[in-house]
């Protein structure tokens, strides 16, 4: 009789509703920026000399000793002129860092992020233009540009260790786009800075940039990355296991770094990465006639010849990540979407309509891999637009 009591049902309904609203409130909570203590004195500064910064949401419950450190994306500056321009906006400065809300892999709702919802969550502000690899002491008094990305990264990690990450049971270094590249380049360093007892893994979202020729046959991205490395003095901060074998500029490409990576890595990437198609395959500098202008923004608008070229680029990408398929510790989620950065949006990460491969949403695949429940090597074996669950997103860094 008691189970049919209307008062009890009303209580349960109100409890469920209040729990759901509380969950939404946690997800939507706006966080203030945290500036690294004594960052300027340490030289851990953005291009414009403003201090290193990050956003922090403390862990709770069973997640108090678990950490996910996520690095923002936002491209690179490859010469002094570009870096001078960049320091005048939020990509090169922390001065105007407003509030931020977390979602996706940084979300705090158990239902929408069961693998990491109650972990300590950090989003690192990206303001150096080198994927946190630069470190040049000298500063031109006229241009007043600081190339200190590596110092930013170490200063933030040091502060997080002091905040309790030195007691971490589990830790995940992640990032999107240029931050996703940084999660690969700094992966083993992150492992080495944490206790030997900590379970440490790395996660790269849209950070697997490949060394490919553009539509005119020019190795433009290779030359661009070489300029980034030289401008920022990055060579000494790239993985030594790679630079011992190859020129430093090649060690800015994940395909050469992952061959000797010691720490488990999960790569999430669209096979038709929107940024790579637009900037590596068909950059405007190689398309003076504008023939690729519509195609690279919308694959459905491509001619048959352009589609064939794009399919070739997908094949190149799959070949570049093929080494990870045979690695027992690696995870892969390669969808046939035209997207860039898929872990920060709840609708894509883990939701009723999120992107799936082999019936696995991204959030579940990454959590299953981290907790060693399954190897999670998921690859769409079909060409665009074969996956109806795709969310074609341009950027969510």
């Amino acid at each position: 009789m008691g189970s049919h009591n209307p008062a009890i049902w009303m209580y349960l309904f109100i409890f469920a509703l209040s729990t759901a609203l509380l969950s939404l409130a946690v997800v939507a909570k706006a966080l203030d920026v945290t500036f690294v203590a004594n960052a300027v004195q340490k030289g851990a500064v953005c291009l414009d000399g403003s201090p290193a910064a990050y956003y922090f949401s403390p862990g709770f419950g069973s997640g108090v000793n678990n950490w996910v450190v996520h690095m923002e994306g936002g491209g690179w500056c490859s010469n002094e002129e570009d870096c001078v321009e960049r320091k005048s906006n939020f990509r090169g400065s922390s001065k105007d860092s407003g509030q931020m809300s977390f979602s996706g892999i940084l979300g705090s709702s158990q239902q929408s992020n069961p693998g990491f919802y109650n972990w300590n969550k950090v989003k690192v502000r990206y303001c150096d233009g080198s994927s946190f690899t630069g470190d040049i002491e000298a500063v031109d008094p006229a241009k007043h540009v600081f190339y200190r990305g590596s110092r930013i990264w170490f200063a933030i990690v040091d502060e997080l260790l002091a905040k309790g990450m030195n007691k971490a049971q589990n830790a995940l270094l992640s990032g999107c786009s240029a931050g996703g590249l940084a999660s690969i380049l700094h992966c083993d360093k992150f492992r080495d800075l944490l206790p030997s007892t900590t379970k440490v893994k790395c996660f790269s979202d849209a950070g697997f940039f490949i060394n490919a020729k553009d539509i005119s046959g020019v190795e433009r991205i290779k030359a661009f990355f070489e300029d980034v490395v030289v401008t920022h003095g990055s060579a000494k901060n790239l993985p030594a296991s790679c630079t011992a074998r190859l020129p430093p500029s090649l060690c800015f490409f994940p395909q050469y770094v992952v061959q000797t990576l010691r720490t488990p890595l999960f790569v999430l990437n669209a096979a038709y990465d929107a940024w790579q198609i637009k900037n590596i395959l068909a950059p405007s500098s190689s398309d003076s006639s504008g023939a690729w202008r519509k195609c690279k923004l919308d694959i459905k608008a491509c001619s048959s010849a352009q589609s064939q070229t794009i399919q070739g680029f997908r094949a190149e990408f799959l070949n570049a990540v093929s080494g990870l398929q045979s690695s027992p510790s690696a995870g892969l989620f390669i969808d046939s979407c035209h997207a860039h950065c898929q872990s920060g949006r709840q609708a894509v990460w883990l939701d009723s309509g999120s992107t799936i491969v082999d019936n696995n949403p991204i959030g579940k695949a990454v959590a299953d891999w981290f907790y060693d429940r399954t190897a999670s090597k998921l690859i769409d074996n079909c060409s665009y637009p074969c996956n109806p669950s795709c969310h074609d997103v341009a950027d969510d860094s």
Side-chain angles (χ1 to χ4, degrees):
M1 291 291 290
S3 62
H4 298 288
N5 188 325
I8 292 178
W9 283 110
M10 180 60 70
Y11 169 81
L12 291 174
F13 171 77
I14 293 173
F15 175 79
L17 180 62
S18 62
T19 301
L21 291 173
L22 177 61
S23 176
L24 288 172
V26 170
V27 172
K29 181 181 178 181
L31 302 168
D32 292 319
V33 71
T34 298
F35 294 103
V36 172
N38 301 315
V40 175
Q41 292 90 323
K42 296 174 183 176
V45 295
C46 304
L47 289 169
D48 70 337
S50 55
Y54 60 93
Y55 295 87
F56 175 62
S57 176
F60 55 94
S62 61
V64 291
N65 289 318
N66 299 333
W67 292 74
V68 55
V69 179
H70 182 87
M71 293 170 285
E72 281 185 335
W76 311 268
C77 56
S78 61
N79 55 53
E80 187 179 75
E81 183 181 354
D82 287 346
C83 293
V84 167
E85 180 181 352
R86 189 183 179 95
K87 78 169 188 171
S88 65
N89 61 55
F90 75 104
R91 292 297 187 200
S93 174
S94 64
K95 288 179 180 176
D96 297 320
S97 299
Q99 290 186 319
M100 178 178 290
S101 297
F102 287 171
S103 64
I105 192 173
L106 296 177
S108 298
S109 162
Q110 184 173 8
Q111 181 178 357
S112 57
N113 189 27
F116 313 101
Y117 76 100
N118 61 354
W119 288 29
N120 293 281
K121 293 178 286 289
V122 180
K123 190 163 189 177
V124 179
R125 280 283 288 109
Y126 181 46
C127 60
D128 66 274
S130 72
S131 286
F132 301 98
T133 63
D135 191 356
I136 294 177
E137 179 65 31
V139 179
D140 185 333
K143 302 293 185 182
H144 209 64
V145 180
F146 296 81
Y147 302 102
R148 304 281 178 78
S150 180
R151 295 194 201 184
I152 289 174
W153 190 83
F154 278 108
I156 288 176
V157 171
D158 282 348
E159 187 156 299
L160 297 178
L161 288 169
K163 276 191 171 184
M165 197 167 70
N166 62 336
K167 301 182 184 68
Q169 296 172 349
N170 298 289
L172 181 66
L173 181 67
S174 74
C176 153
S177 194
L181 171 59
S183 71
I184 297 173
L185 299 180
H186 290 289
C187 185
D188 283 342
K189 293 177 191 173
F190 188 67
R191 160 67 279 177
D192 293 342
L193 289 168
L194 288 162
S196 59
T197 54
T198 307
K199 181 175 187 173
V200 180
K201 296 190 178 184
C202 302
F203 169 66
S204 172
D205 175 11
F208 208 98
F209 301 94
I210 66 170
N211 184 15
K213 294 179 180 179
D214 66 18
I215 52 174
S216 65
V218 175
E219 294 181 311
R220 205 170 298 274
I221 189 64
K222 181 181 176 183
F224 177 79
F225 277 171
E226 184 171 3
D227 288 344
V228 171
V229 169
V230 171
T231 297
H232 292 265
S234 301
K236 59 184 177 292
N237 299 313
L238 298 173
S241 58
C242 180
T243 55
R245 301 176 295 113
L246 297 168
S249 58
L250 288 182
C251 295
F252 219 69
F253 288 101
Q255 66 200 83
Y256 307 116
V257 173
V258 298
Q259 297 173 12
T260 54
L261 208 61
R262 293 180 282 109
T263 310
L265 171 70
F266 191 108
V267 170
L268 163 64
N269 231 101
Y272 304 89
D273 185 275
W275 191 93
Q276 296 198 51
I277 287 176
K278 184 180 178 182
N279 297 283
I280 295 180
L281 178 63
S284 298
S285 53
S286 295
D287 181 35
S288 57
S289 68
W292 277 79
R293 192 173 296 128
K294 289 183 179 180
C295 169
K296 64 185 181 182
L297 297 177
D298 180 6
I299 295 180
K300 297 185 185 73
C302 296
S303 68
S304 57
Q306 289 171 332
S307 294
Q308 189 173 351
T309 299
I310 285 178
Q311 297 308 332
F313 185 81
R314 171 179 176 264
E316 276 194 82
F317 179 85
L318 293 178
N319 182 62
V321 300
S322 61
L324 293 173
Q325 289 184 261
S326 58
S327 169
S329 66
L332 288 169
F333 192 104
I334 311 297
D335 51 55
S336 285
C337 303
H338 184 222
H340 185 68
C341 288
Q342 301 177 87
S343 64
R345 291 183 60 197
Q346 196 58 59
V348 186
W349 173 250
L350 186 60
D351 198 22
S352 58
S354 61
T355 301
I356 60 172
V357 174
D358 294 339
N359 294 316
N360 284 277
I362 298 168
K364 180 181 183 300
V366 176
D368 284 347
W369 163 79
F370 186 89
Y371 292 107
D372 301 313
R373 294 192 285 255
T374 179
S376 290
K377 289 187 171 63
L378 305 167
I379 301 177
D380 264 337
N381 292 314
C382 57
S383 57
Y384 186 90
C386 65
N387 188 335
S389 69
C390 282
H391 293 250
D392 286 356
V393 288
D395 182 34
D396 186 34
S397 58

